[in-house]
Amino acid sequence: MKAITILGSTGSIGTQTLDIVTQNPDKFRVIGLAAGRNVEMLAQQVRQFSPEIVAINDESKFTELKEAIADLRPQPILLAGQDGVIEVARYGDSEAVVTGIVGCAGLLPTIAAIEARKDIALANKETLIAAGPVVNPLIEEHGVKLLPADSEHSAIFQCLQGVPKEGLRRIILTASGGAFRDWPIEKLSNVKVADAIKHPNWSMGRKITVDSATMMNKGLEVIEAHYLFGLDYDNIDIVIHPQSIIHSLIELQDTSVLAQLGWPDMRLPLLYALSWPERIYTDWKQLDLVKAGSLTFKEPDNLKYPCIQLAYAAGRIGGSMPAALNAANEQAVALFLEEKIPFLDIPKLIEYVCEKHKSDYQKNPTLDDILATDKWARKEAVAGSLIVANSLKNLLVNIEEKTENITEKKTEFEEYTEIKSENEKLGFNDFYQKGLKEYEQQNYQLALAEFNHAIEMDKGHSDAYIYRGDVKEKLEDYQGAIDDYNQAIKLDATHPKAYYRRGNVLRKVGDNWGAIADYNQAIRLNPNYTAAKRRSYVHVDTGATEKFMQE
């Protein structure tokens, strides 16, 4: 029998985990429970599952909880506040901790559990999104297992069983499309809170349901997949699958594709995270493909869902930027749920905060850096909520704009639709050439968009990655540029330009020896390449004067 602890026991993840325990009393035993502020439900759970230790995060509710279970014998250890939740996370003989606390609030308890050598059933994606550079080394240091307990990453994990590490080529995350997948884009300015918290397929909490409506949840899952499975962002894709039957897919090196299917039910990934590598029999509804009917797929609309590209951008920058993105999103969603900002301001506010964070972004953050970034970003999001109305004017359609001759003029949405229709007729080379033209004219944002289109159509052209890397360098997205040069080299390791350009960026970020190595390789591939001069400059930077004089 496995002893488990549940953090966030009164939330959606917690209650479904306890349902699993109820159905499998011979398999699981509850050691600890921690909840936010729902005293009534927590007291009922304590009575039913008899945990040894219990914490309520809201300290003002502690006395009420104590009185609600005063007649119980034996009494569990009762704690309150974040410190109490952390104590529950690290307590006693628990073998696995289910992290169901919503948002970055789950980070410190999860780290405490890892340091206490508890395996983690990770349902709190923000732990890795905000602090992947800190959490992953801790997982390795303490020798614990981190098992994904959300549907998409569990699906990937299940598909990977038996696949050698080097066999994975691409991850395809499926998305339902959220509450507004069938809404026309011009209707989004009228979204109410009640609209955004109605998910068509899943039963989830308010915050994650809004994230699904903006599709920020999928953007965050891209970052989480990067840290869980080690793939570059260019090899992690998103596809809208309205039926939510295929929970995600993987593509292997030989182009075989594996998928995990099932009815939408969060208990399945939770059960697998707790029982892995075993499979436990359940009497849950079995999948009937005939009844499921047609399974359909489509690309996400980046105009309708700008949060996706914001997440990719933050992930590629890395370091502390995903922490800023996550905190800004949490605060923006909270403001929306409090009806303090409109729905369309959520991505605007996130972009505003991320742009401001570029000035003090940390490439290799410590835990203290992550926590400081989280605190700063939340404060900045509140302060910036009144001044972000136009921050995404090139991405969002302002359908309320009035014009005197509206019948004679095209709206932005109509223009976008026509451009999109024209784009669908174009091929890789069309977008590639347009990207080159915009780059030559120093229209770097437009060039980036064209190269993105080209690469979406054909991921096998190294030159497209090189030029997109050049664009990102101009936009000071140095990590994104390095990632593109890496991909170009992966596609064609004999291309001197890729090494040369990567060397330039490495030099800019202070990795002089890495730059020298790249310049050397460029020269090996083409002895006449101008990298020799660059190499000499870098030798001076590193103090290698004798080598410089030889060259």
Side-chain angles (χ1 to χ4, degrees):
M1 182 180 293
K2 178 177 283 189
I4 67 171
T5 291
I6 303 171
L7 307 180
S9 66
T10 59
S12 175
I13 295 298
T15 55
Q16 291 181 84
T17 303
L18 289 171
D19 184 52
I20 291 170
V21 174
T22 300
Q23 295 181 36
N24 297 276
D26 59 327
K27 300 287 195 304
F28 305 108
R29 176 171 65 95
V30 176
I31 291 284
L33 294 174
R37 62 191 315 273
N38 190 333
V39 171
E40 182 179 356
M41 184 180 292
L42 181 57
Q44 291 173 354
Q45 292 173 348
V46 172
R47 290 181 179 279
Q48 181 176 353
F49 296 99
S50 302
E52 296 176 12
I53 186 169
V54 178
I56 188 160
N57 190 59
D58 187 340
E59 296 183 26
S60 69
K61 300 288 184 178
F62 177 74
T63 300
E64 184 181 348
L65 175 63
K66 186 175 181 179
E67 292 173 352
I69 59 172
D71 61 318
L72 280 183
R73 295 293 181 273
Q75 278 277 302
I77 300 169
L78 287 182
L79 302 169
Q82 186 182 53
D83 289 343
V85 175
I86 289 172
E87 284 303 314
V88 171
R90 62 162 64 109
Y91 177 79
D93 297 327
S94 177
E95 300 169 64
V97 175
V98 179
T99 60
I101 297 174
V102 175
C104 209
L107 174 58
L108 289 179
T110 302
I111 288 177
I114 293 169
E115 291 176 338
R117 300 186 184 279
K118 316 290 185 186
D119 289 339
I120 305 297
L122 186 69
N124 169 275
K125 62 171 63 74
E126 290 82 4
T127 293
L128 279 183
I129 292 157
V134 174
V135 171
N136 274 350
L138 286 176
I139 292 288
E140 185 173 349
E141 176 185 348
H142 294 285
V144 301
K145 300 179 184 68
L146 190 150
L147 303 170
D150 64 296
S151 63
E152 293 81 6
H153 299 96
S154 175
I156 296 163
F157 181 65
Q158 292 180 58
C159 290
L160 283 171
Q161 300 306 299
V163 175
K165 184 177 181 180
E166 64 277 9
L168 180 61
R169 180 174 182 171
R170 182 167 61 117
I171 285 171
I172 306 167
L173 294 166
T174 56
S176 68
F180 307 126
R181 68 186 181 201
D182 298 321
W183 284 39
I185 194 170
E186 62 267 24
K187 190 179 174 183
L188 294 182
S189 62
N190 299 318
V191 166
K192 306 299 182 188
V193 170
D195 301 320
I197 60 175
K198 293 178 182 176
H199 197 283
N201 298 345
W202 296 93
S203 175
M204 304 182 294
R206 284 159 58 91
K207 189 265 180 184
I208 184 62
T209 306
V210 175
D211 281 349
S212 180
T214 65
M215 283 194 67
M216 176 57 90
N217 72 319
K218 212 53 52 179
L220 296 176
E221 286 170 13
V222 167
I223 299 173
E224 184 181 7
H226 167 75
Y227 284 117
L228 277 172
F229 306 112
L231 281 190
D232 292 336
Y233 287 98
D234 285 339
N235 297 324
I236 305 172
D237 294 336
I238 297 171
V239 63
I240 292 180
H241 169 48
Q243 295 80 22
S244 295
I245 297 297
I246 297 177
H247 300 304
S248 276
L249 312 91
I250 63 171
E251 182 182 15
L252 306 182
Q253 295 294 351
D254 61 3
T255 71
S256 296
V257 174
L258 306 180
Q260 188 265 329
L261 289 73
W263 295 117
D265 189 338
M266 274 303 302
R267 293 176 300 173
L268 180 56
L270 285 164
L271 176 61
Y272 191 65
L274 290 172
S275 63
W276 179 87
E278 304 299 326
R279 292 282 187 174
I280 294 177
Y281 173 83
T282 74
D283 60 0
W284 301 338
K285 182 181 178 182
Q286 294 176 266
L287 178 62
D288 185 327
L289 288 173
V290 175
K291 289 183 179 178
S294 299
L295 304 181
T296 59
F297 309 90
K298 63 180 180 179
E299 282 189 301
D301 183 338
N302 288 333
L303 187 69
K304 188 175 182 180
Y305 301 114
C307 284
I308 293 175
Q309 293 306 311
L310 292 175
Y312 269 103
R316 287 188 170 105
I317 293 171
S320 60
M321 188 60 77
L325 173 94
N326 178 71
N329 177 63
E330 287 188 20
Q331 192 61 58
V333 171
L335 290 169
F336 167 70
L337 289 171
E338 294 167 5
E339 300 185 351
K340 293 181 178 178
I341 64 170
F343 179 77
L344 290 181
D345 273 6
I346 293 174
K348 297 178 185 180
L349 193 53
I350 296 166
E351 187 190 42
Y352 169 81
V353 172
C354 289
E355 283 295 324
K356 293 203 71 173
H357 186 54
K358 286 182 178 179
S359 62
D360 58 357
Y361 139 83
Q362 299 292 318
K363 182 179 180 181
N364 298 300
T366 64
L367 178 59
D368 286 342
D369 292 331
I370 295 293
L371 296 175
T373 297
D374 180 84
K375 183 178 180 180
W376 169 86
R378 292 172 192 276
K379 182 178 178 181
E380 201 64 43
V382 173
S385 61
L386 299 178
I387 58 174
V388 300
N390 296 316
S391 65
L392 283 182
K393 61 184 178 181
N394 293 325
L395 293 176
L396 296 173
V397 178
N398 182 1
I399 54 87
E400 295 179 347
E401 182 178 1
K402 305 294 183 180
T403 62
E404 293 181 1
N405 301 311
I406 194 166
T407 57
E408 299 177 7
K409 295 184 178 181
K410 297 174 182 175
T411 65
E412 286 184 51
F413 180 67
E414 289 170 335
E415 290 176 357
Y416 164 76
T417 303
E418 289 188 6
I419 292 170
K420 183 178 179 184
S421 178
E422 287 299 315
N423 283 348
E424 289 172 349
K425 301 175 185 177
L426 301 179
F428 165 83
N429 194 58
D430 298 302
F431 289 116
Y432 179 70
Q433 293 299 327
K434 288 167 70 177
L436 292 176
K437 182 178 179 181
E438 297 294 353
Y439 180 79
E440 290 171 0
Q441 296 176 359
Q442 299 183 8
N443 298 324
Y444 298 126
Q445 290 288 359
L446 295 176
L448 180 62
E450 300 299 345
F451 287 128
N452 284 343
H453 281 306
I455 289 171
E456 284 174 9
M457 299 194 76
D458 190 339
K459 292 182 169 65
H461 286 260
S462 60
D463 280 341
Y465 285 98
I466 291 173
Y467 280 109
R468 190 172 73 173
D470 294 347
V471 171
K472 290 178 180 178
E473 180 188 9
K474 295 293 186 183
L475 295 172
E476 298 184 355
D477 177 8
Y478 297 131
Q479 186 57 53
I482 291 170
D483 289 342
D484 274 349
Y485 298 139
N486 289 344
Q487 184 63 21
I489 291 167
K490 185 186 296 185
L491 292 169
D492 183 1
T494 66
H495 206 318
K497 185 187 295 184
Y499 291 98
Y500 172 63
R501 300 288 176 79
R502 188 173 69 178
N504 291 345
V505 178
L506 290 174
R507 186 184 178 206
K508 281 190 174 182
V509 300
D511 185 0
N512 289 328
W513 292 111
I516 290 171
D518 273 353
Y519 293 147
N520 285 342
Q521 182 62 17
I523 292 169
R524 290 189 196 100
L525 294 170
N526 183 352
N528 297 320
Y529 213 69
T530 57
K533 186 175 181 180
R534 289 273 185 174
R535 183 175 65 179
S536 299
Y537 291 154
V538 181
H539 279 308
V540 172
D541 291 343
T542 58
T545 308
E546 182 178 351
K547 182 70 175 177
F548 170 63
M549 294 300 293
Q550 292 174 1
E551 295 183 350

